[in-house]
Structure formats: structure tokens, C-alpha cells
Amino acid sequence: MTPVLTSHAGSLPRPDSLREANARRAAGEIDAAAFDEQLSTAVQQVVARQRDLGLDIVNDGEYGHAMTASQDFGAWWTYSFDRTSGLELVEPTQSPQELEAQEERLGNTPADPADGVRLTTFGRRRDWLRFRDVYGDPTSGTGIDARRPLPLPTATGTIGYAGQDAVARDTRALTAALAATGGGRGYLCALSPGSAARIGNAHYTSETEWLHAWAGVLRQEYAAILDAGLELQIDDPSLAESWDQVNPEPSVADYQRFVARRIEALNLALEGLDTSRVRLHLCWGSWHGPHTTDVPLADILGEVLQANVGGLSLEAGNVRHEHEWTVWRDVEVPAGLTLLPGVVSHATNVVEHPDLVAQRIGRFAEAVGSDRVIASSDCGFGGRVHPDIAWAKLESLVAGAQRA
């Protein structure tokens, strides 16, 4: 069997010094040059640690996406707020109880008749309502308080890309770190148009126009990463995770159209770029909850496989989705597409045994061929598990790939 390469899904534990630097930068206490120097040092250290473990395709740990708390489930997304013009932060004007009552009155009113799907607020997710006491209990281990509305930006005018300096800083830091540690393959993460479009919109008149506007904005970040000679991972929980955020549950056909429209926007953003160096990260959400209302992979895979990308990263190691590897027995994988299944998971503190990792890799290798598999993690580790556990899981990932 061809040796299986290794990577991971993005976020890695941040050092305390970097989180503190992010907080000081937000407060205006340190200038850009001082922050850039500290970021570059941290990126070089995290790249070196990945290399020491034996990972083949490494990244910057998403250190360029600001995280100021040890547990942060949103840095993969919220980083984009500072890199986009035309947004304003609109604080909720209603209490959680008023928002819930309003949604119950509205029902599932389609935002766009083309697909009939309207996303609810985060606190009205079906899994969160079913386990309301769990998500409302700060000691339950979910890391989420569903009772507190999340203030999100709203587009109040034409949106544009304002992250040129930030993405240049990210590419510069990773490129330098790769050079200092012997070269090799490196990637940076960026947001998808579909996930970006989950914030408020008070300017665009249709969902299609809104999605395409984000495609035009994010294309600039994608191009900057690829032009720097790096690989690109596009994070898109909107494809799978949004199913839980439609209340009541939609028909599968309506949701498939919803997914297809987001894949269309993604392909628009990637048009003319080197998509062989792009991988799409499919995620059902990184929070530690029951996930009883996750959409089955088989229901959306046909639409997801229309994405013009060279790799597909997906959850395959946690107990809600591990069984779904069998769908690949019956799917014709597009030519040139590599799978990056999660063989270690962010969803548990238990460190997977290398033999289990090898078995999980073997399933995918048998289904699609070992030359089309890169062993990875379900999702990012930064802010999801203790740093010591995160690094132990990556060590087990490498050991399992060697045994496979």
C-alpha cells in the first residue's frame, strides 16, 4: 500500500503569550510591527512542533485568526469580520426569550423561495432545543451557553475585502516558518462564502446576490494564499451544520438545493485559481454536544462533490459520523480528488490508539485507494481540547499512519 500522508484540520492550541498579544492588539496597547514579530515567532514554533511529530502537511495553527480565550469555538469565522468592509456590529435589541417567541410566531419562513430554507438563530437549533438544559449549563462541558444571543455583524452596505495586510502577514509568517524547518507543504485556512453569509444582511436584496458578493470578497484571500505558493483549506460548516439550524426540519430536497447554492458560490470564488491546491473542510460543528440532529453525509454528498477542489476534509472519527465511511464504497470519487478523513477527533479527550487510527485509515484506503487518502483530524483542536491532549492525538495520528 502507498504510504499515507498526514495532516490535520487547522486550528492548533495557541500559547498564552499569543492570546494575550491578540487582546493587547485589540485594545491598542501594541503596534502592528510588534504583534507581527510575536506572531511570526509563534508560527515558527508551531510549525517546528508539527514537523517534529512527523506531520507531512502543516499549517500556522490558524494563529493569524485572533483568539483571546483558551476556549473559542468561533475564531475560524470571526477572524473575517476585521477583513471585510461594509459591516457593522449590531447588538441584539431583544432578550433571548423575545427572540424565541418571535421565531415561534414566524415559523420556517423561506428567506428565498428557490430553496425554501431559512436559518434560525443559534439558540433555536434543534439539537440545542432538545438538550436545552445541557446547553444552558456551564458545567455540562459543551462550552456553549445557548441562552445568550451572539452579537454578529450586519452588512449595511456593499461588502469588500479589507484583509490584504492581514493575509500577507499570514502567508509571510508561514512561508518563513516552512523555510526555517526544511520546507515542505504548508496550508492556510480561510472562510467559505456560505459560512460567511450566515451573518446579518441589510443591504443585498436576494440570497444569491448575498452569496455571490461573499464569493467576490473571499476570492481575494484565496488568491493571495495560493499566489504565495501555499495550499488553501476552505472551512465550510454551512454545508452540513446548517441542517441543524433550520427549525422545523426541512425536506432533504430543499436542503440539497440550499447546499448546492453554496457550492455554486464557492466554485464562483475559485474560478480561475489552482484548485488542485485547495481542500474543502466539511464540518458538522465543533462544539461538544449530542449532535443528534446532524444531517447524514449521504444526503448531501452528491452536492458537496460538485465543489471544484482537490481535497475534501471531513469528520470520520467521532462517534456520530464514524459509521459513514461506508458511503465511499458506493460513490464515484471525482478524478483528482483526495480525501482527508478525520482519524482522530476533537470531540473527545480520549487519545485514539494508533492501531485504531490505522484501522480507520485502512477503511478509506480500501474504498478509494491509499494514494487518495491523507490522514487528518475531524476538526481543529485549538480551544476544543487541552493542548497536551491535542498534541498527543496528532502524535497518535502519525503513528497510526505509519502502521497503516
Side-chain angles (χ1 to χ4, degrees):
M1 187 170 74
T2 303
V4 174
L5 298 179
T6 56
S7 188
H8 61 89
S11 181
L12 294 173
R14 273 75 160 173
D16 291 340
S17 58
L18 183 60
R19 291 199 303 271
E20 291 165 2
N22 276 311
R24 292 179 61 205
R25 181 181 59 153
E29 297 173 359
I30 57 174
D31 61 24
F35 176 80
D36 288 359
E37 182 177 355
Q38 191 159 347
L39 176 65
S40 295
T41 299
V43 170
Q44 184 161 331
Q45 291 171 346
V46 78
V47 167
R49 188 162 187 180
Q50 292 170 77
R51 289 282 188 227
D52 290 344
L53 282 178
L55 287 165
D56 297 300
I57 308 169
V58 303
N59 79 335
D60 67 341
E62 290 189 44
Y63 283 9
H65 298 176
M67 180 186 287
T68 58
S70 59
Q71 186 175 65
D72 185 340
F73 289 83
W76 64 274
W77 177 35
T78 57
Y79 89 93
S80 67
F81 300 165
D82 290 335
R83 301 190 187 191
T84 308
S85 60
L87 305 180
E88 292 184 20
L89 186 63
V90 179
E91 295 286 344
T93 58
Q94 298 168 288
S95 69
Q97 294 75 21
E98 289 171 330
L99 286 170
E100 287 188 7
Q102 175 179 296
E103 291 216 0
E104 287 172 357
R105 289 195 303 273
L106 289 173
N108 191 36
T109 305
D112 189 323
D115 56 42
V117 172
R118 174 181 178 270
L119 297 184
T120 185
T121 58
F122 277 70
R124 291 284 297 170
R125 288 178 175 275
R126 286 179 278 119
D127 197 59
W128 296 17
L129 290 178
R130 180 179 179 184
F131 296 95
R132 185 188 297 268
D133 290 344
V134 175
Y135 285 111
D137 181 354
T139 67
S140 67
T142 63
I144 292 174
D145 185 351
R147 301 166 301 178
R148 182 167 47 88
L150 179 67
L152 296 175
T154 294
T156 55
T158 302
I159 58 173
Y161 188 64
Q164 290 85 354
D165 291 343
V167 73
R169 179 200 65 204
D170 292 346
T171 59
R172 187 168 56 245
L174 180 55
T175 301
L178 290 171
T181 56
R185 296 170 64 178
Y187 74 96
L188 288 175
C189 296
L191 188 63
S192 70
S195 288
R198 293 197 295 181
I199 65 169
N201 168 33
H203 177 72
Y204 294 90
T205 57
S206 73
E207 185 180 46
T208 298
E209 185 184 9
W210 178 227
L211 287 167
H212 287 194
W214 274 113
V217 169
L218 291 167
R219 173 185 174 83
Q220 298 181 57
E221 182 152 290
Y222 302 165
I225 292 170
L226 294 171
D227 287 348
L230 299 168
E231 298 177 28
L232 167 66
Q233 174 175 301
I234 298 177
D235 293 325
D236 199 351
S238 76
L239 302 175
E241 182 195 326
S242 293
W243 169 264
D244 174 56
Q245 204 179 338
V246 184
N247 192 0
E249 179 180 306
S251 72
V252 171
D254 280 349
Y255 192 73
Q256 287 171 336
R257 286 190 288 272
F258 173 90
V259 172
R261 287 155 68 89
R262 279 142 187 82
I263 294 295
E264 176 192 37
L266 175 61
N267 287 340
L268 179 65
L270 291 170
E271 198 169 274
L273 301 180
D274 180 6
T275 56
S276 68
R277 291 189 286 129
V278 178
R279 68 200 207 191
L280 173 63
H281 178 49
L282 181 66
C283 173
W284 279 261
S286 60
W287 67 82
H288 299 314
H291 285 275
T292 58
T293 53
D294 285 1
V295 66
L297 176 60
D299 285 350
I300 60 171
L301 188 55
E303 287 68 34
V304 170
L305 289 179
Q306 299 306 306
N308 184 19
V309 294
L312 179 62
S313 164
L314 69 156
E315 295 186 20
N318 72 60
V319 294
R320 196 68 196 180
H321 295 285
E322 183 176 5
H323 67 286
E324 293 181 307
W325 71 271
T326 57
V327 303
W328 297 102
R329 290 171 166 173
D330 305 316
V331 170
E332 184 176 348
V333 181
L337 183 70
T338 297
L339 300 185
L340 293 92
V343 292
V344 293
S345 182
H346 65 292
T348 175
N349 284 336
V350 178
V351 176
E352 293 82 353
H353 193 283
D355 284 348
L356 174 61
V357 172
Q359 290 170 11
R360 288 173 170 171
I361 293 170
R363 296 169 186 167
F364 283 87
E366 290 171 7
V368 302
S370 59
D371 59 329
R372 305 186 74 174
V373 175
I374 297 174
S376 189
S377 59
D378 274 344
C379 198
F381 288 121
R384 279 100 179 191
V385 294
H386 189 279
D388 292 349
I389 295 174
W391 290 109
K393 282 174 174 284
L394 291 174
E395 182 179 7
S396 191
L397 186 158
V398 172
Q402 293 169 348
R403 296 186 186 192

